[in-house]
Amino acid sequence: MQTKFNEPIVTHIYTADPSAHVFDGKLYIYPSHDLDHDGPSNDNGDQYRMEDYRVLSMDGIGSEAIDHGEALHVRDVPWASSQMWAPDAAFKNGKYYLFFPARDHEHVFRIGVATSSSPSGPFRAEPNYIPGSFSIDPAVFVDDDGEAYLYFGGLWGGQLEKWQSGTYEAHRTEGPGTDQPAIGPYTAKLSEDMLSFAEHPRQIAVIDENGNPITAGDEERRYFEGPWVHKYNGLYYLSYSTGTTHQIVYAVSENPQGPFVYKGVILTPVIGWTTHHSIVEFDGKWYLFYHDSSLSEGINHKRCVKYTELHHNKDGTIRTIDPYPH
Ligand code: FUB
């Protein structure tokens, strides 16, 4: 089946949280693989019970999306117990790295790495999670100078509120007050071998045009989950989901670790509660990969990956995308 903009790229499985990259001249998409179950849902995200990853690839824009089969299963990850959520991938040192979050045996979300000689896997997991890692939604950005950065973190089921003191507090659910700076995503440089942090993870500041932090009560703009970084015309673009207001928004910086200045909306709300995306350049044009729940007619945990073209304006801003153009 040929793929079309704003249509599911595969329909034989439910997929979500697409991280798209160009490897060997092809598009590779690293999505979550949503399970087809009818269990209950809650704000903790227990309905997102994913157990494995499948890698998809497309020879070009409009080409069929090929499912390369199981790339990694939770049973083969010694430190993990459940919930293989949004992954990302990178290429460095002649190897492919899959970064993925899962709950450890104490039910705390951690971030692990698995490696492969092929972009489509299968991937072999490291025995332990990245020391010092926590929360969900890892995204890797490898800069032009070869320096690799990990970005991660999510509120609510993603457990970021529980790490506010610097150590894990299992019963803590409250975030900062509405007029306090919002919790940001975290970033850390990765070690040369990509298997550990080269520095202590630190929170990224997202600020408004006057230099004031975006506050926790500013739900139209504050960070919720799903970070992604791309570089355009020498500037770093951090984009993310606002969760409760269901938008993908972005902020810009001259530094890959921020602070980032809030700029605007990339994607208006999709069908389903979650929204999660990636941005990739392919053959000189830019594309947004995203998901919605249209394939299951609105069931939040049965999602489908889609894509469309993304445009940077002359002034560096990004044109807002309507996922349901007429
Ligand atoms: O797919 C599970 C979670 O839902 C992801 O980690 C979040 O970004 C949201 O899409």
Side-chain angles (χ1 to χ4, degrees):
M1 180 185 85
Q2 299 293 103
T3 53
K4 290 191 187 137
F5 287 168
N6 309 113
E7 302 275 347
I9 64 170
V10 292
T11 55
H12 65 295
I13 52 172
Y14 290 113
T15 55
D17 309 323
S19 291
H21 291 276
V22 178
F23 295 136
D24 292 339
K26 283 192 204 179
L27 278 161
Y28 282 86
I29 301 112
Y30 299 84
S32 298
H33 175 200
D34 283 349
L35 279 191
D36 185 1
H37 73 82
D38 298 317
S41 292
N42 58 36
D43 282 348
N44 203 36
D46 293 342
Q47 62 276 26
Y48 301 103
R49 291 189 204 157
M50 298 83 99
E51 295 176 347
D52 67 351
Y53 295 112
R54 306 272 196 109
V55 180
L56 308 176
S57 72
M58 289 162 51
D59 284 348
I61 300 304
S63 305
E64 183 182 4
I66 308 292
D67 174 358
H68 293 272
E70 187 178 289
L72 182 68
H73 195 281
V74 68
R75 75 170 89 82
D76 299 318
V77 183
W79 60 266
S81 64
S82 60
Q83 294 194 295
M84 306 278 269
W85 284 11
D88 191 15
F91 177 72
K92 197 174 163 175
N93 308 324
K95 275 191 213 166
Y96 295 89
Y97 297 84
L98 184 73
F99 290 83
F100 60 96
R103 286 184 191 264
D104 68 11
H105 295 291
E106 276 75 51
H107 308 292
V108 179
F109 268 111
R110 305 285 186 177
I111 295 169
V113 196
T115 56
S116 177
S117 56
S118 162
S120 54
F123 288 86
R124 187 183 170 87
E126 292 295 302
N128 297 308
Y129 56 76
I130 299 175
S133 69
F134 53 93
S135 198
I136 60 165
D137 290 0
V140 205
F141 171 72
V142 182
D143 208 343
D144 304 328
D145 61 1
E147 190 78 68
Y149 300 86
L150 195 72
Y151 302 84
F152 61 93
L155 302 184
W156 294 17
Q159 301 182 335
L160 266 193
E161 289 90 342
K162 300 183 189 304
W163 289 94
Q164 287 173 92
S165 67
T167 50
Y168 184 74
E169 296 173 273
H171 300 293
R172 189 157 180 189
T173 53
E174 287 297 309
T178 52
D179 58 350
Q180 297 299 306
I183 299 175
Y186 280 75
T187 178
K189 279 185 189 168
L190 288 167
S191 57
E192 188 49 35
D193 67 4
M194 303 285 271
L195 303 180
S196 59
F197 291 143
E199 61 184 10
H200 202 68
R202 62 180 115 135
Q203 256 188 73
I204 292 177
V206 182
I207 57 179
D208 67 15
E209 64 282 9
N210 300 315
N212 299 314
I214 300 293
T215 58
D218 186 351
E219 296 187 24
E220 295 287 333
R221 300 193 291 177
R222 67 94 175 78
Y223 179 80
F224 191 93
E225 62 186 3
W228 186 261
V229 170
H230 75 280
K231 193 172 185 180
Y232 178 76
N233 272 354
L235 291 176
Y236 299 89
Y237 287 66
L238 167 71
S239 42
Y240 55 88
S241 164
T242 60
T244 49
T245 54
H246 315 288
Q247 308 186 103
I248 300 291
V249 300
Y250 74 106
V252 174
S253 177
E254 290 176 2
N255 186 306
Q257 296 186 297
F260 287 85
V261 180
Y262 180 87
K263 289 290 178 189
V265 176
I266 294 179
L267 183 69
T268 55
V270 295
I271 295 167
W273 199 95
T274 65
T275 184
H276 190 122
H277 75 299
S278 61
I279 294 169
V280 66
E281 185 179 19
F282 183 73
D283 274 353
K285 291 188 171 184
W286 289 85
Y287 298 91
L288 176 81
F289 281 75
Y290 64 101
H291 73 228
D292 73 6
S293 295
S294 57
L295 187 60
S296 64
E297 298 183 344
I299 298 173
N300 288 335
H301 63 271
K302 298 186 195 182
R303 300 165 289 180
C304 58
V305 168
K306 299 180 168 184
Y307 73 120
T308 193
E309 196 170 346
L310 174 141
H311 299 272
H312 297 89
N313 296 313
K314 284 216 169 77
D315 64 1
T317 56
I318 293 177
R319 205 186 293 170
T320 302
I321 293 170
D322 172 359
Y324 308 105
H326 300 296

